[in-house]
Amino acid sequence: MTIELPERIGFLARVREDVAAAKLRDPAARSGVEIAVLYPGLHAIWAHRVWHALWTRRARFIARAGSQITRWLTGIEIHPGATIGRRFFIDHGMGVVIGETAEVGDDVMLYHGVTLGGRQREGGKRHPTIEDGVAIGAGAKVLGPITVGAGSVIGANAVVTKDAPADSVLVGIPAKPRVRRAGDDTRALLTTPEYHI
């Protein structure tokens, strides 16, 4: 049996990958330079990588202090203990909160006002796991140690408190999943009025 290790890429390759992911997901993006200089969602994730590295090396106070500085500068609060995958993109970003035990997969997109939060005070896993390719609309709240399956879309202002299978569309308070139909466009699902509260 062989163990497959995750692919490791260098700092500049990761930055280029992040900029390309933002350009792919944001129709207003005009250039890579504009994205790298003016997108607070990217600044927050780049800073998070530094603070997360310190957190995992037990420099917890410095990591928390750094994450608070990033929050003041970007309006995006990502706990340094959160695990974030590749090509993660936060569009606009103001008011996004990601808790300590949250796990976010690759190719995930969040809009402003999203919370990946907890619902309990006990230790251990308190925050959600968001699998690969999930898109979460503005103001949505995903709460507790739940899993949102890969390829799912969470509508604006939805409140998700239960596990959702892969390729779900989640809307409402509390959110109720339905199976995502073949050919459903993620951007269209996030902006269609029937998916807003």
Side-chain angles (χ1 to χ4, degrees), residues 157-171:
N157 294 317
V159 178
V160 183
T161 58
K162 294 185 178 172
D163 289 343
D167 297 313
S168 295
V169 175
L170 297 122
V171 296

Side-chain angles (χ1 to χ4, degrees), residues 12-162:
L12 288 177
R14 179 68 61 95
V15 167
R16 282 193 296 271
E17 183 178 72
D18 291 334
V19 169
K23 195 168 189 178
L24 176 70
R25 294 185 180 114
D26 185 359
R30 288 186 289 275
S31 74
V33 171
E34 176 186 47
I35 292 167
V37 173
L38 300 177
Y39 278 48
L42 285 183
H43 302 155
I45 190 61
W46 292 339
H48 170 73
R49 289 183 185 139
V50 173
W51 311 136
H52 182 71
L54 290 170
W55 183 265
T56 59
R57 288 168 179 80
R58 302 267 187 226
R60 302 255 164 112
F61 181 82
I62 295 169
R64 286 286 285 147
S67 72
Q68 289 303 301
I69 291 168
T70 302
R71 175 182 173 220
W72 294 331
L73 294 172
T74 65
I76 298 167
E77 182 176 343
I78 306 174
H79 192 286
T83 304
I84 310 282
R86 291 172 60 181
R87 298 173 300 276
F88 177 63
F89 179 56
I90 303 171
D91 197 5
H92 300 291
M94 186 60 74
V96 167
V97 176
I98 300 175
E100 177 184 4
T101 61
E103 298 172 73
V104 179
D106 296 336
D107 303 302
V108 170
M109 179 176 178
L110 308 182
Y111 285 90
H112 58 280
V114 168
T115 299
L116 305 180
R119 294 189 318 164
Q120 61 198 36
R121 291 180 182 264
E122 297 82 31
K125 176 80 166 142
R126 301 181 313 280
H127 302 96
T129 297
I130 308 297
E131 293 185 346
D132 297 345
V134 172
I136 305 178
K141 310 302 178 216
V142 186
L143 305 173
I146 63 172
T147 299
V148 176
S152 294
V153 176
I154 299 173
N157 294 317
V159 178
V160 183
T161 58
K162 294 185 178 172

